[in-house]
Amino acid sequence: AFTLSRTPWIFRLLLISFAGARGLSDFPENFVIARRNDGESYSNPVTLTCGGRGDGAVTWKFGGEVMEDSDPFIQQQNQTLVLDEVDTPMLGEYSCWRGNQMVSSTYILLQEKEEEEFDSLLKCRARSYDCEFNCSWTSSEYTAVRLGLGPDCSEGGESCHWIRKSGVDPDGGLQFVLSHSLTPYSEESSKLEVTAEAIKDLSIVRKTRRFYLRDIVQPDSSHIVRCKEVGENLNVTVAPPPSWSIPHSFFSLEHEIQYVLRDDGRTECSSTSLVPKGISRLRVRSRDPLVPSAWSLWTPWTNVTHH
């Protein structure tokens, strides 16, 4: 895609690119996305505008080096810089200068090819119907990730409130906490829209997932309060987790009890609170019975003492 006259400039770009750090640990304040042409390695034209006030000529730099004005694919017009084609060596920071003072800077990032299934990268879970839910970005290849909620973010609006990570899980995934304004007392009529932007080697992926809150509800583990003899059975009392929505009379949970028979070691399950007396241990998991929500994790096994 490049002519011979462009070779020296591309060679210098390569030297600058390899000399500097390629990964961004956070999102730059200003960036534009170069979008690939179908089937091509380079993108459509990109226009950069010097963001400061004032008139007069400015000097453009790439990676701290003054850019040449002899390249036919790069046009410098006072405070505007036009790149007819953007290839990988041309990704990075472009800054405009007036004298020795930098006026503004903008990164050019390349739209990444969508090779991975997005749903496998972003996983979301709500512990209850309260106003917060958690998402996890599972890939460690991306050096900067942020999430946004709502149409302002999915449509790329400037008013999007981006959320940075709140922590890292044991597997290296990035954790995010997002807040919503849905009322938990009425049926959901619209889906939540979670948009993720992630940067890897100066390429960026941007995707939106849409789902109902009820589809990601997974309670924390309940806990077993007591076991009381009732005839030939044990009546198991289970309490909802502290994180579950209240009042519990409205936000009910169904429980499944798994137990091990003392005599032959068989493992069985009960969907009621009654289990046989002749058991050695049991555990419980819970879910919302009104929607197809996921089961909670099992509680730890609890030994049953016989008198």
Side-chain angles (χ1 to χ4, degrees), residues 146-162:
R146 65 184 184 180
L147 303 186
L149 183 64
D152 284 343
C153 300
S154 59
E155 296 169 5
E158 294 183 0
S159 59
C160 172
H161 176 61
W162 292 104

Side-chain angles (χ1 to χ4, degrees), residues 84-202:
D84 290 339
E85 297 173 354
V86 176
D87 203 348
T88 303
M90 303 172 70
L91 303 177
E93 183 184 21
Y94 291 79
S95 57
C96 60
W97 296 70
R98 190 170 282 117
N100 294 324
Q101 183 176 5
M102 185 176 73
V103 181
S104 66
S105 72
T106 303
Y107 274 79
I108 294 182
L109 306 177
L110 188 63
Q111 183 183 43
E112 183 180 340
K113 293 180 180 179
E114 297 176 14
E115 298 177 350
E116 295 185 76
E117 178 61 37
F118 182 66
D119 288 354
S120 68
L121 296 178
L122 182 66
K123 299 181 182 298
C124 296
R125 176 204 167 203
R127 304 164 68 190
S128 68
Y129 290 98
D130 295 343
C131 60
E132 289 185 345
F133 63 97
N134 298 83
C135 290
S136 175
W137 182 267
T138 60
S139 175
S140 60
E141 295 182 2
Y142 295 84
T143 56
V145 182
R146 65 184 184 180
L147 303 186
L149 183 64
D152 284 343
C153 300
S154 59
E155 296 169 5
E158 294 183 0
S159 59
C160 172
H161 176 61
W162 292 104
I163 306 297
R164 262 65 177 185
K165 68 178 181 182
S166 60
V168 180
D169 61 33
D171 296 327
L174 304 180
Q175 294 289 333
F176 298 83
V177 179
L178 291 86
S179 300
H180 64 83
S181 58
L182 299 175
T183 173
Y185 299 102
S186 61
E187 186 175 355
E188 291 179 88
S189 58
S190 59
K191 293 184 176 182
L192 294 168
E193 299 182 13
V194 177
T195 299
E197 287 189 343
I199 296 175
K200 176 177 64 176
D201 296 333
L202 298 179

Side-chain angles (χ1 to χ4, degrees), residues 253-267:
L253 284 174
E254 68 172 328
H255 310 293
E256 182 177 55
I257 304 173
Q258 190 175 68
Y259 55 89
V260 177
L261 294 170
R262 181 177 48 183
D263 292 339
D264 56 16
R266 284 188 297 116
T267 299

